[in-house]
Amino acid sequence: MNQESTATINSVRSASGRRLLWFAILPTALFLGGLLTFGARSHTTKALAAETQRTAAEPVAVFHAQPGAATEELVMPAVLQAYDESPVYARVTGYVAKWYTDIGTRVHAGQLLAVIDAPQVDQQLAQARAALNQARANLSLANVTTKRYQDLIGSNSVSHQELDNNVQNQAVQNANVQSAMAQVTWLEQEQKYEQIVAPFDGIITERQTDIGDLVNAGNGGTGTELFRVSRISTMRIFVAVSEAYSAEISNGMQVKVELNALPGQFFSGKVTRNDNAINPQSRTLLVEVDLPNSAGKLMPGAYAQVHFALVSGVRPLNVPSGSVLFQSAGPQVAVVNGKNQIELRKVLLGKDLGASMEITSGITSGDQVFANPPDYLVDGMPVSIQQSK
């Protein structure tokens, strides 16, 4: 009896375990089946959406790129300089006796600017002239003596040795005269340096001396620069042009210069020379521009803007900035071909003009360009062109 009861109990327990196992497996299987069904449906939905998007005709608005300007204006900052500028120094040491010109005075080459009182030079010149007179007197005596000895040598009244001595003395006295004359010439030139004159036509831009100032000869002492003269009938500007534009700069090309102090007023000039070398540090070409300044409106040191009109070999096309796609393949433009399909063209960009951009290659003015292309565009995508109302 006990054995039968035990078997019955075990059978009941086995059946209960199997039912519990099915209750655990069935929900898991249903969950996995639902997950797979959801994934399959999601993939199908995405594929269907992609296929629909690929086959559906996208309505687009198109335009034709407009040709850009034939010339490009390059504007560079610069500072005006006088064509020639020279400090004027004293060549003799002395005191300033008088000056005749002040700042702003227009002067001519050789015009007297100031006078230096240098009494030591005057005295040295007087001494040199006296020495010259003495040398000439000695030479005159040597000439007379030599001639006399030459007349006496025929009668053997004097020896040949005495004649040779007098001939030699005559040569020495002649050399002394030449030396004295050179000394006088040098001191006369030094005396001329007591008068300070303008080196060229120009204007006095600085005066750094006054009456009674002690000045030193040359440019090695303190305060020896007396004046500064600038030639402003022609002004010059040095401009560092970027290497990217260096090939379009040529000698003789016309430029316009606008002063910061005179906005809207332009002065004509031209490129006179360049250094024909790219600076390895700044990657620029040094260009000199000369400007006529007969009216005197241009002043050294003034800030200016130099306008270069550069003629490009390729005339760019202008498109709105929103029509350019920037993707991993590089800048592209969407063009609608004759089959009303999208063609993504790689383009080479020029200048960014803000609302528009320059295209130098990749499209033509006859292409129909997608105005505002979305990022999901692909080659061959069908589109329908919207007619503008």
Side-chain angles (χ1 to χ4, degrees), residues 63-81:
F63 67 92
H64 294 281
Q66 299 299 315
T71 60
E72 177 183 358
E73 186 177 57
L74 175 65
V75 182
M76 300 295 294
V79 178
L80 270 65
Q81 298 183 22

Side-chain angles (χ1 to χ4, degrees), residues 49-289:
E51 181 67 17
T52 301
Q53 188 179 59
R54 188 183 67 83
T55 57
E58 177 85 10
V60 299
V62 297
F63 67 92
H64 294 281
Q66 299 299 315
T71 60
E72 177 183 358
E73 186 177 57
L74 175 65
V75 182
M76 300 295 294
V79 178
L80 270 65
Q81 298 183 22
Y83 193 83
D84 289 313
E85 185 178 66
S86 174
V88 179
Y89 294 93
R91 282 294 308 270
V92 294
T93 300
Y95 294 92
V96 176
K98 192 170 184 179
W99 54 265
Y100 299 94
T101 58
D102 210 339
I103 57 173
T105 304
R106 294 185 179 274
V107 296
H108 302 287
Q111 181 175 335
L112 184 62
L113 305 181
V115 174
I116 296 177
D117 184 13
Q120 73 279 9
V121 174
D122 299 336
Q123 293 301 317
Q124 288 174 358
L125 177 58
Q127 182 181 4
R129 285 172 175 168
L132 175 60
N133 292 333
Q134 182 180 4
R136 284 173 173 169
N138 292 334
L139 176 61
S140 178
L141 177 61
N143 291 336
V144 172
T145 303
T146 301
K147 186 177 183 308
R148 183 178 296 119
Y149 271 73
Q150 288 174 342
D151 293 340
L152 293 175
I153 193 65
S155 60
N156 293 323
S157 301
V158 294
S159 67
H160 285 280
Q161 180 64 41
E162 291 175 316
L163 176 61
D164 293 340
N165 289 340
N166 279 278
V167 171
Q168 186 65 30
N169 180 60
Q170 183 185 33
V172 171
Q173 297 304 325
N174 185 62
N176 289 339
V177 169
Q178 298 300 321
S179 176
M181 290 177 61
Q183 184 73 6
V184 169
T185 301
W186 171 64
L187 288 171
E188 286 177 343
Q189 186 62 51
E190 287 292 300
Q191 191 179 52
K192 289 181 180 179
Y193 289 141
E194 294 178 2
Q195 295 185 338
I196 308 299
V197 297
F200 46 75
D201 293 351
I203 187 171
I204 303 295
T205 56
E206 293 183 25
R207 178 180 63 83
Q208 300 185 14
T209 189
D210 211 336
I211 295 175
D213 287 350
L214 174 63
V215 294
N216 300 317
N219 60 356
T222 304
T224 53
E225 180 179 333
L226 308 181
F227 301 91
R228 185 170 291 266
V229 182
S230 300
R231 190 200 304 272
I232 63 171
S233 56
T234 300
M235 305 295 291
R236 73 170 83 202
I237 301 175
F238 291 97
V239 185
V241 177
S242 174
E243 181 182 8
Y245 300 100
S246 60
E248 301 176 51
I249 301 296
S250 60
N251 294 342
M253 70 182 298
Q254 298 295 316
V255 301
K256 293 183 178 180
V257 177
E258 181 184 16
L259 297 183
N260 291 8
L262 300 173
Q265 186 173 353
F266 292 90
F267 299 86
S268 297
K270 69 176 182 179
V271 176
T272 54
R273 61 187 62 85
N274 65 79
D275 62 358
N276 288 310
I278 300 298
N279 187 298
Q281 283 75 39
S282 61
R283 310 307 306 175
T284 57
L285 176 73
L286 185 62
V287 176
E288 180 184 335
V289 174

